[in-house]
Amino acid sequence: MGTTFDVLVVGAGAAGLMAAGQAAAAGASVLVLEKMSQTARKVRISGKGRCNVTNLCPPTAVLENIPGNGRFLTGAIHKFGPEAMLDFLAAEGVPTKVERGDRVFPVSDDAHQVANALEHFAKRSGAIIRLGTAVSKLLTDATGVTGVRCGDGTVYRAAQVIVCTGGGSYPGTGSTGDGWTLAAAVGHTVTPTLPSLVPLRTKERWPTDLSGLTLRNVSVSLVSSLGRDVQFGELLFTHFGVSGPTVLTLSRSAAVWLAAGVSVDMHIDLKPALDPDVLDGRLQRDFAKYSRKQIKNGMNDLLPQALIPIVLAAADLSSEKPIHQVTKEERQALAKVLKDLRLTVAETLPLAAAIVTQGGVSVREVNPKNMESRLVPGLYLCGEVLDVDALTGGFNLQAAFAMGYAAGKAAGQRSRETT
Ligand SMILES: Cc1cc2nc3c(=O)[nH]c(=O)nc-3n(C[C@H](O)[C@H](O)[C@H](O)COP(=O)(O)OP(=O)(O)OC[C@H]3O[C@@H](n4cnc5c(N)ncnc54)[C@H](O)[C@@H]3O)c2cc1C
């Protein structure tokens, strides 16, 4: 194997394999350098091993689900959006199915099938993949990028280098933030990197007692002096605090606010469909029905059993109190807690435990048309290494594929023009 190529791709993850395949398919000689012993480790564990590979919604809706610089991806997602990704997977022999919330999974429910298809596409298009090879330096001269140096000292030359090293979450998959160091060393700005889509640790200990309990159809608000964010849906109690879809989405704001040093409170509306008067009426009916019971045994129609003592304690009510002795004021205090059960967010779990990183190489320094650096000609950056992050639902992978597609096409096209 030679050491000079048209295009080098650093990182054989979601974005890298797509970029490599596209560049090679356009006629470029492509070498992919991957530091792990296997390609696309993160894709292989994505979606709990099932890989939520994209979301079958219109491009505008994809962009709405990318709170971290979604606008930067407008062109890329319109060029290579969910429909194009489904066509790509079908052509690679990966049938897909659409589940709740338009989430797309392989019919096989096997993330390896997606990763293998990406690897196969890159190889079949002509790209060479070298595993177990970490890139430690980007080489440049006055004209732009000229190649890379690997950890073992090997130098590879190319006039175009696509950096797809991912973010900093789940470092065991190989994404350890190397791309931020590589890009910063050639002059790029790296915005502060924080976890997103990550569980939250609470100051209160009582969530531990409810570990494993999922609340459905609740409204969860996060409030700080810097803003307010609300999500409706499921909340999961864990041995350290809270998780589940509402919390993962809210964690993006929580991480930013906590990093700014302000306190963050969580308010859980356990009965968002009932306004306070309707809820009071409901309590009165339940209390009439169970008037001879102790209050802890008279709320099972309203709440999961395990949550009852927590709610009663928050309302300052003795769980042994006979229901017929509960005063109007006590009932109203209880209704108030049902509409506003509070927790204090102590911290997010660390970046290593997050699904994605928010922050990364500044998108201001990258051309959104082709992901090329505005600072170093011939250098492209795509995927989670950039300051781009999305919500759950298949949007992070879709973003990575769209960026990889744009960079790979552009690099392949350019190498054809220069040869
Ligand atoms: C547990 C988990 C589940 C997820 N589930 C989903 C999901 O179902 N749907 C979804 O849309 N998103 C999901 N995501 C997010 C999604 O997987 C990532 O956003 C996406 O993989 C990012 O793609 P990427 O190509 O930028 O980086 P990665 O896929 O992380 O690939 C980066 C590659 O670069 C390599 N690399 C790093 N440094 C170097 C170096 N110095 N030299 C050579 N190679 C290097 C790494 O080893 C890795 O192979 C999940 C993430 C996690 C952690």
Side-chain angles (χ1 to χ4, degrees):
M1 187 177 75
T3 54
T4 303
F5 292 82
D6 294 329
V7 179
L8 298 174
V9 176
V10 186
L17 290 171
M18 177 59 79
Q22 296 299 341
S29 61
V30 179
L31 175 67
V32 185
L33 299 163
E34 164 56 52
K35 79 171 174 192
M36 304 300 279
S37 58
Q38 184 186 37
T39 60
R41 282 261 167 100
K42 197 171 271 180
V43 175
R44 291 172 195 277
I45 60 160
S46 66
K48 300 195 171 123
R50 294 173 62 222
C51 187
N52 178 193
V53 69
T54 184
N55 191 289
L56 194 52
C57 62
T60 46
V62 175
L63 298 173
E64 281 162 18
N65 281 279
I66 308 181
N69 288 314
R71 271 181 56 191
F72 170 78
L73 292 187
T74 306
I77 293 287
H78 277 89
K79 258 205 196 110
F80 192 82
E83 296 274 4
M85 190 58 203
L86 292 195
D87 290 347
F88 170 86
L89 289 168
E92 293 303 315
V94 182
T96 49
K97 58 182 173 178
V98 183
E99 296 192 358
R100 187 173 50 92
D102 296 327
R103 291 160 194 248
V104 179
F105 294 85
V107 169
S108 62
D109 283 329
D110 183 3
H112 290 285
Q113 196 192 9
V114 175
N116 292 342
L118 285 162
E119 179 179 328
H120 185 240
F121 164 64
K123 284 182 174 164
R124 199 187 62 237
S125 304
I128 298 169
I129 300 177
R130 192 175 159 188
L131 299 171
T133 309
V135 167
S136 55
K137 194 171 192 289
L138 295 173
L139 305 175
T140 58
D141 66 13
T143 64
V145 76
T146 58
V148 303
R149 173 169 295 126
C150 301
D152 64 4
T154 317
V155 168
Y156 292 98
R157 296 282 172 194
Q160 301 188 83
V161 176
I162 310 178
V163 173
C164 309
T165 45
S169 75
Y170 278 64
T173 63
S175 333
T176 48
D178 296 7
W180 303 326
T181 316
L182 295 173
V186 295
H188 275 282
T189 310
V190 180
T191 63
T193 51
L194 293 170
S196 183
L197 306 181
V198 67
L200 301 175
R201 212 181 283 283
T202 56
K203 286 203 175 132
E204 295 78 2
R205 302 289 297 276
W206 59 257
T208 310
D209 303 332
L210 304 183
S211 183
L213 174 70
T214 295
L215 301 179
R216 298 202 165 76
N217 302 323
V218 292
S219 172
V220 185
S221 310
L222 274 195
V223 180
S224 81
S225 58
L226 296 175
R228 180 188 173 86
D229 205 349
V230 187
Q231 286 294 315
F232 177 83
E234 286 182 14
L235 176 142
L236 168 70
F237 292 107
T238 69
H239 62 282
F240 51 79
V242 283
S243 186
T246 53
V247 170
L248 293 182
T249 300
L250 292 168
S251 68
R252 190 172 194 279
S253 304
V256 174
W257 296 338
L258 290 164
V262 302
S263 60
V264 180
D265 295 323
M266 177 171 282
H267 301 250
I268 308 169
D269 183 345
L270 296 163
K271 297 289 160 194
L274 306 181
D275 70 30
D277 288 345
V278 176
L279 179 59
D280 190 47
R282 167 76 194 270
L283 277 175
Q284 287 186 49
R285 279 199 306 283
D286 279 18
F287 284 4
K289 188 166 150 196
Y290 300 117
S291 64
R292 294 160 156 271
K293 295 194 172 197
Q294 291 180 323
I295 191 162
K296 67 178 178 193
N297 298 321
M299 295 186 65
N300 293 332
D301 296 352
L302 261 180
L303 291 177
Q305 181 69 41
L307 192 57
I308 294 172
I310 308 294
V311 166
L312 291 174
D316 221 4
L317 261 166
S318 156
S319 15
E320 269 82 42
K321 189 159 195 166
I323 286 183
H324 65 269
Q325 287 178 15
V326 173
T327 65
K328 181 180 173 191
E329 288 70 30
E330 286 171 329
R331 194 186 68 235
Q332 285 171 342
L334 186 57
K336 212 168 157 202
V337 171
L338 289 170
K339 294 293 288 175
D340 186 7
L341 182 63
R342 295 198 184 184
L343 282 166
T344 321
V345 180
E347 58 186 7
T348 68
L349 258 55
L351 179 56
I355 292 186
V356 282
T357 310
Q358 53 176 321
V361 177
S362 171
V363 295
R364 288 161 184 257
E365 298 164 355
V366 177
N367 181 345
K369 281 206 175 87
N370 56 9
M371 306 296 142
E372 188 177 10
S373 162
R374 295 189 194 276
L375 310 183
V376 185
L379 175 67
Y380 302 76
L381 297 131
C382 45
E384 224 183 290
V385 69
L386 285 178
D387 180 6
V388 170
D389 63 283
L391 300 180
T392 56
F395 302 105
N396 281 294
L397 281 172
Q398 179 60 56
F401 295 135
M403 288 185 258
Y405 179 88
K409 278 257 177 217
Q413 175 85 29
R414 187 166 312 161
S415 60
R416 231 185 15 220
E417 287 163 6
T418 52
T419 49

